[in-house]
């Protein structure tokens, strides 16, 4: 066969999150892609965008990391939105971004009328519970912990913040509590945009399907089959979770591991794991800002839901740093700290959400935003952030070929999976069809550096 002729391929993508779906999309858009000789199968153990890709904030920033992916991906987001009406389909838009420091001084400032009523009602509930043999356990004072920040801003991003004044249209924040405000305000370096992550990921899946990708959900991959010499991939075996039938796909030429935090379970050498993080969604129509916070609460302040449980101390001491992103369609997304209290489950639909942590997040945000304090909470959720850990430290994501021929990894994107999904997908299409990355230099993300 002429070496210049495209060769038949059966490409299997494992994972139906933003990395897997954008990879499928760009594979079907590659100039070499030919439906007569190329077959693409995407296997997802639960449903499309069931994990972090459906529960993320959807923030896009030129100030994100790693810098080898960000500019390309930020541009591709804009191109995708222009080509496929992303403003309407998945909420693509630009927005302002800033960071505030606030100090909650007194109960009048830190509690909305709704929160006050809830606290007073909770005090009555707590008294009743105590009279009923204290069925709810009291908290251990020693369990109070410092707030752990999400790895959203690196040192470079923080250096791009410029001191400013609280914008007038950021009127859903109680300005009397704000001590400092800094904005991402350096043109050409700090542009910020957003998408609705669930909508974006599901649309990428739909567009990939239109291009010829076969998508199978509830398909739990149990093994990656190698040839007799263990030098290349040749099959994939998965369990249909609805029928309990096991299927083996033979003749597989390429496997792209894009399973987020589950990548490490399928290929332990990748060292990709997960860290749980909670988030909530408020029903509130507010001005378009992404707001990072640093909130100091009084020592005697206790969220109403913890009072109701008979607790005497809040979970966190000192400062808390929740993040809030206004979205089109009348909602505000907010996320809190990560935690390691629950191990990564087998599939995304088995992720446990700690209601108390979500309630903490709601209470902290209400302390500086009466508007959100009075708003309905329409979602409480948790997901696992995929992390690539080496020598006990977070390392850049893995994007590229492994030591096994035909096995590729695209995982470990931390908080920036939505931001960096398009670039990762486009680069993976180039790796598979061209043998190299052409749109960006991502040598620092090469799995070969770690002998994966």
């Amino acid at each position: 066969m002429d070496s210049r002729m495209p060769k038949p391929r059966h490409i299997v993508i494992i994972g139906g999150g933003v990395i897997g779906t954008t990879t499928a999309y760009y594979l079907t858009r590659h100039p070499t892609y030919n439906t007569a000789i190329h077959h693409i199968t995407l296997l997802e153990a639960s449903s499309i965008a069931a994990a972090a890709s459906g529960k993320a904030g959807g923030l896009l920033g030129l100030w994100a990391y790693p810098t080898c992916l960000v500019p390309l991906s930020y541009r591709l987001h804009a191109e995708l939105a222009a080509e496929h009406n992303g403003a309407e389909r998945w909420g693509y838009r630009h927005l302002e971004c800033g960071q505030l420091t606030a100090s909650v001084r007194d109960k009048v400032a830190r509690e909305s009328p709704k929160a006050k009523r809830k606290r007073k009602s909770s005090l009555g509930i707590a008294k009743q519970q105590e009279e009923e043999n204290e069925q709810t356990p009291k908290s251990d004072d020693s369990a109070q912990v410092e707030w752990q920040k999400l790895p959203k801003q690196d040192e470079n991003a923080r250096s791009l913040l410029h001191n400013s004044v609280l914008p007038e249209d950021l009127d859903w924040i109680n300005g009397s509590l704000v001590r400092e405000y800094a904005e991402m305000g350096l043109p050409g370096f700090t542009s910020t945009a957003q998408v609705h992550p669930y909508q974006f990921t599901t649309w990428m899946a739909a567009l990939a399907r239109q291009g010829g990708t076969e998508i199978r959900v509830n398909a739990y991959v149990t093994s990656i089959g190698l040839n007799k010499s263990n030098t290349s991939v040749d099959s994939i075996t998965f369990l249909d979770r609805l029928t309990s039938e096991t299927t083996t796909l033979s003749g597989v030429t390429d496997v792209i591991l894009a399973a987020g935090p589950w990548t490490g379970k399928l290929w332990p050498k990748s060292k990709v794991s997960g860290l749980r993080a909670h988030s909530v969604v408020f029903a509130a129509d507010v001005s378009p800002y992404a707001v990072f916070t640093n909130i100091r609460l009084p020592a005697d302040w206790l969220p109403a839901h913890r009072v109701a449980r008979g607790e005497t101390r809040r979970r966190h001491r000192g400062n808390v740093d929740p993040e809030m992103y206004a979205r089109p369609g009348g909602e505000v997304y907010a996320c809190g700290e990560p935690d390691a209290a629950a191990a990564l489950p087998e599939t995304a639909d088995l992720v446990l959400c700690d209601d108390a942590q979500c309630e903490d997040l709601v209470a902290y945000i209400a302390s500086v935003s009466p508007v959100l304090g009075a708003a309905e909470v329409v979602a409480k959720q948790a997901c696992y952030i995929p992390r690539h850990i080496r020598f006990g430290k977070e390392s850049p994501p893995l994007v590229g070929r492994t030591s096994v021929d035909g096995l590729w990894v695209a995982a470990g994107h931390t908080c920036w999976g939505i931001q960096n999904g398009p670039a990762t997908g486009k680069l993976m299409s180039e790796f598979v069809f061209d043998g190299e990355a052409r749109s960006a230099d991502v040598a620092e993300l090469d799995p070969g550096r770690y002998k994966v």
Side-chain angles (χ1 to χ4, degrees), residues 97-152:
C97 179
Q99 178 171 300
L100 63 82
T101 299
S103 179
V104 176
R105 298 188 301 270
D106 53 50
K107 293 185 178 180
V108 173
R110 68 175 176 259
E111 288 188 300
S112 67
K114 180 180 177 181
K116 283 185 181 180
R117 290 193 298 271
K118 186 174 181 181
R119 178 176 58 81
K120 289 179 180 179
S121 174
S122 299
L123 287 170
I125 294 171
K127 185 175 181 180
Q128 182 180 359
Q129 286 179 328
E130 186 176 355
E131 292 173 352
E132 294 175 355
N133 299 320
E134 298 183 348
Q135 293 180 359
T136 302
K138 293 186 178 181
S139 66
D140 179 1
D141 290 352
S142 65
Q144 217 178 7
V145 297
E146 298 289 348
W147 178 277
Q148 302 298 310
K149 288 181 70 69
L150 285 168
K152 185 64 66 82

Side-chain angles (χ1 to χ4, degrees), residues 43-48 216-221 238-243 349:
L43 302 176
E44 163 54 44
S46 182
S47 56
I48 299 299
R216 300 192 185 190
V217 296
N218 290 302
Y220 179 79
V221 174
F238 67 91
L239 172 71
D240 187 315
R241 296 175 65 206
L242 297 182
T243 65
D349 52 339

Side-chain angles (χ1 to χ4, degrees), residues 65-361:
Y65 62 86
T67 55
C68 62
L69 282 178
V70 168
L72 171 63
S73 211
Y74 194 83
R75 174 173 61 81
L76 290 175
H77 266 292
E79 293 176 0
L80 287 168
E83 182 178 354
H84 300 294
N85 192 18
E88 176 144 347
R89 286 178 167 178
W90 56 76
Y92 176 83
R93 70 174 180 182
H94 290 271
L95 77 168
E96 299 299 318
C97 179
Q99 178 171 300
L100 63 82
T101 299
S103 179
V104 176
R105 298 188 301 270
D106 53 50
K107 293 185 178 180
V108 173
R110 68 175 176 259
E111 288 188 300
S112 67
K114 180 180 177 181
K116 283 185 181 180
R117 290 193 298 271
K118 186 174 181 181
R119 178 176 58 81
K120 289 179 180 179
S121 174
S122 299
L123 287 170
I125 294 171
K127 185 175 181 180
Q128 182 180 359
Q129 286 179 328
E130 186 176 355
E131 292 173 352
E132 294 175 355
N133 299 320
E134 298 183 348
Q135 293 180 359
T136 302
K138 293 186 178 181
S139 66
D140 179 1
D141 290 352
S142 65
Q144 217 178 7
V145 297
E146 298 289 348
W147 178 277
Q148 302 298 310
K149 288 181 70 69
L150 285 168
K152 185 64 66 82
Q153 294 174 304
D154 62 5
E155 186 175 343
N156 178 62
R158 288 188 291 272
S159 71
L160 295 172
L161 288 162
H162 292 270
N163 290 336
S164 182
V165 296
L166 190 70
E168 288 186 10
D169 62 338
L170 188 49
D171 52 4
W172 43 282
I173 297 294
N174 185 343
S176 69
L177 306 179
V178 176
R179 297 291 164 263
E180 295 178 355
Y181 183 80
E183 64 175 351
M184 286 286 185
L186 189 60
F189 295 91
T190 58
S191 295
T192 306
Q194 69 181 163
V195 297
H196 189 294
Y198 178 82
Q199 295 169 3
F200 177 71
T201 304
T202 53
W203 265 109
M204 287 296 101
L207 292 168
R209 185 183 282 112
Q210 290 176 17
T213 299
E214 178 186 5
I215 297 179
R216 300 192 185 190
V217 296
N218 290 302
Y220 179 79
V221 174
T222 56
S223 66
I224 300 171
L226 306 182
N227 63 2
K228 291 182 180 180
S229 60
N230 291 327
T231 56
S232 66
V233 298
D234 67 3
S235 66
I236 287 287
T237 301
F238 67 91
L239 172 71
D240 187 315
R241 296 175 65 206
L242 297 182
T243 65
S244 298
E245 295 180 358
T246 298
T247 299
T248 297
L249 302 177
S250 58
V252 173
T253 58
D254 300 271
V255 174
I256 300 173
L257 274 168
W262 288 274
T263 298
K265 289 194 170 188
L266 287 165
W267 200 252
K269 289 198 294 184
S270 69
K271 303 295 184 183
V272 175
S273 58
L275 185 64
R276 189 174 67 163
H278 288 80
S279 58
V280 298
V281 179
F282 298 91
D285 191 2
V286 301
S287 54
Y289 280 87
V291 181
F292 295 88
T293 71
N294 180 0
I295 305 169
R296 173 164 290 280
L297 299 168
D300 62 347
W301 185 86
L302 186 64
H305 68 283
R306 293 197 177 273
V307 173
R309 290 168 54 170
E311 299 184 15
T312 58
R313 295 251 182 141
R314 64 175 183 261
R315 172 179 166 81
H316 299 100
R317 63 169 72 94
N319 292 29
V320 295
D321 304 305
E323 303 168 11
M324 299 168 276
Y325 315 142
R327 286 176 174 167
E331 66 179 38
V332 177
Y333 171 94
C335 53
E337 66 174 347
D339 76 274
L344 181 72
E346 287 298 307
T347 55
D349 52 339
L350 299 178
V351 171
L352 297 176
C353 178
D354 184 343
D355 188 75
Q357 289 202 48
C358 289
E359 287 293 332
D360 281 339
L361 184 56

